[in-house]
Amino acid sequence: MTGNRSVLSGWRAYLYVLPILVLSGLFLYYCIGFTVYTSFHSWNGIDTDMKYIGFDNYIKLFDDKSYHIALRNNLIFFVCTVGVQAALGLMLAVLLRAKLKGHAIFRSVYFIPTIMAPIIIAAIFRIIMDTNFGSLNEGLRAMGLDFLAVSWLGDPKYALMSIIIVNIFEWMGFSMTLYYSALLAIPDEIYESAKIDGSGFWRTLFKITVPLVGGTTSTLVILGIVGSLKTFDIVSLLTGGGPGRSTEFLTTYVYKKAIEEFNGGMSAAAGVTILIIALVLAVLQIQYTNRQQRDL
Amino acid sequence: MKKGSFKFALVLALSVCLLLTAAACGNKNAESNTGNNGGAASGEQETVTFWSWVPTDVQAEKAIAAFEAANPNIKVDYWRGEQTDFQKKLQVAMAANEGPDLLGMQVGGMLNQYANTLEPIEALADKNWGAGWQDNFVKASIDQVKATDGTMVALPLNLTGQEFVLYNKTIFDKLGITKVPATYEEWLSVNATIREKGDGIVPVAFGAKDIWHDVDMFVSLSNQFAPGKIYEAEQGKLAWTDQAFVDTMTAWSKLFTDKVMQDGALGLSTYPDARDQYFYSGKAAMFLTGSWHAGFSLPGGEKDGTAIENDETGIFLLPQIGPNEARAVASVDTALSINKSSKHKEAAWKLLEFMTQGEGQQIMADFIQGSPAKVGVQIQSLDQFKFEAEREGIKTVNDAIANAIGKRLLDYPELTNAIGVAMQDVAAGKSIETALKDIQKVSDGIDRN
């Protein structure tokens, strides 16, 4: 009897995960499998005919200068946004935890960009960053800083940086919210003890706060990896990957190959490389976090 | 029922539901592939789905109402999207065999890619219109709706050309500019006057962020330096490093170094940025665009409600920059195709016929979305324009399109992208030689068979 029950509960366990298996199988694993399959074919993304071409798409992809630029831009974007977003988010969270006057209003204000549609944020920044009539350059000129009134989105030297700034503006509130939640879980006694021991603001921040919110930082890094690899909307809306290819991202590259150039095979190959990069980075990050937790 | 059993039953039911949903998705596709509905039975109303970027909503409202009044058994379900949104939606839908019955088609690269999924048109036209029907279409337009294998898979709705300059005559008059520029030197002189006396008005607004617009400019300009050579290079019969393209790129680069294009042009899209933030807000005196903008000042058009709605505006052809006279390049702007797997081909044909040869042609012509593709259609809305320069603009545009030197849209999308990227690189300071080599590399990789 016991044996039968054990077999049954084993089957039941599988049944409990069946709904999510069906859903992810349909909408995730099938799509991944199809993308991998497509990456070995020549396909315009429309016809039913697909021609097997082996690794040709991958060979062309790795030979494509635009793809290299996209990889480089994604890396710069990831390093800049994740670090700065986390640092600013933590600073804001620490300030908000101090319960300064009006902190509830500030908390909402900082979080608003996170819930705003990217198309609205991009439209606003396109107007703000306009070279001739944008408020950013108008302000700089009014202060006599004409030399700083550059073409933020139209000059390859500044376009990527502009995208990074807009992205930080959009997601800083998200980092702040996660850190704020983590900070609320730290007992006040720890801070009071530190204060009694004569620890100042910076020492408390780096010796107490930062180590205790390590888990949140780790989560933000993983989300940052995935987020930077998925970044499309804000780039597409602000610069479209240009001028030239100067702000090309992996996602805009995939989009252009598939939709604009009708090259479904090469687009799929680029998509597969994004998946592999995301998996490798996520595994490395998880291993690093596990090692850190063991060391603690 | 025990608590555990209830949970078990619930999970089982949910799983079965999901599997059934998945199966239903599959069935839907299968039905759509193999459906044998040849049309509505007599007396039943049939619905034709129609997706495009043109007609616009205002135009579609009038055209579709007229069509439905003339064809009470057919209901048109029209979806309109901006061209980029339309392209995305269409590609996914056609790949899933769930495309519309009638669809807008851009000639060149798009038409070639979709050709296998579209109904060959000539047999249908022969059957419905008899021999010689091609003569009812503007010659240049009917030549462009064929795929590379020669199969005609669309019919033209209208033609548009490039490169044109929309200008604010009220600003010109205020600054004492009495003549629109016809040469590069005149253009520079007009721009200098605007900069000097215009109180911050930008002379020219150009959306160089858009690759499609940069390439339009390249095709126009190259035909001023070496007429027709770009079409040879397009087909791989001439190197992109040829002197013709060095000269074209040099002229393009000069447009930036001579400050004809406004500062920051590479970060500005044609629509909405250059149009709305610059020209329509009265902050720019000129705006580079296509012939489709000639009717923007009709009552109820784009100009209404803008800061320049009471200003007199006009349109002129891009000034002569190269050694040869400036002439427009023109292509079918919107063609219409029937989906090969449509279950309502007859009804879709009726709508196609209405739009390309019937009353729909006149309705579209009167909105001045482009030049009519049907021979002999006269625009009847000219008296609605408020100003003479606007009426003259229509003549300018139609004459230029009739006298076009070649086609506007190239056959290979990857080549279009490569030219656009190279142009933006050159405008940002890259060497012309390297940029042209980049185009050549992409051109070498194109399978033209």
Side-chain angles (χ1 to χ4, degrees), chain A residues 43-49 262, chain B residues 32-33 86-87 90-105 109-121 147 149 151-154 336-343 345:
Chain A
W43 184 47
N44 69 358
I46 307 161
D47 287 349
T48 45
D49 298 337
F262 300 98
Chain B
S32 129
N33 285 333
F86 168 76
Q87 295 273 12
L90 185 71
Q91 198 176 114
V92 176
M94 293 297 270
N97 206 12
E98 290 178 1
D101 299 306
L102 188 70
L103 54 142
M105 186 55 51
M110 183 185 176
L111 184 135
N112 285 324
Q113 295 296 334
Y114 279 93
N116 289 339
T117 65
L118 305 175
E119 184 73 10
I121 289 289
D149 67 357
T151 314
M152 188 178 288
V153 287
L336 299 178
S337 299
I338 296 173
N339 187 345
K340 201 185 250 180
S341 56
S342 164
K343 290 183 273 179
K345 283 180 190 163

Side-chain angles (χ1 to χ4, degrees), chain A residues 91-165:
Chain A
M91 288 308 294
L92 288 173
V94 168
L95 291 174
L96 288 173
R97 192 184 186 280
K99 303 261 189 299
L100 301 171
K101 203 175 173 185
H103 73 279
I105 296 170
F106 283 115
R107 197 173 55 204
S108 305
V109 167
Y110 293 134
F111 192 67
I112 283 173
T114 307
I115 53 169
M116 275 169 75
I119 193 163
I120 295 171
I121 293 177
I124 292 169
F125 273 93
R126 288 189 63 74
I127 295 169
I128 290 173
M129 291 179 160
D130 179 76
T131 313
N132 299 288
F133 305 114
S135 50
L136 178 58
N137 280 0
E138 295 274 11
L140 289 167
R141 288 189 197 104
M143 290 188 284
L145 301 169
D146 295 46
F147 66 99
L148 288 177
V150 297
S151 174
W152 298 102
L153 298 170
D155 188 329
K157 288 200 289 285
Y158 309 110
L160 182 61
M161 184 185 71
S162 302
I163 291 171
I164 289 170
I165 290 169

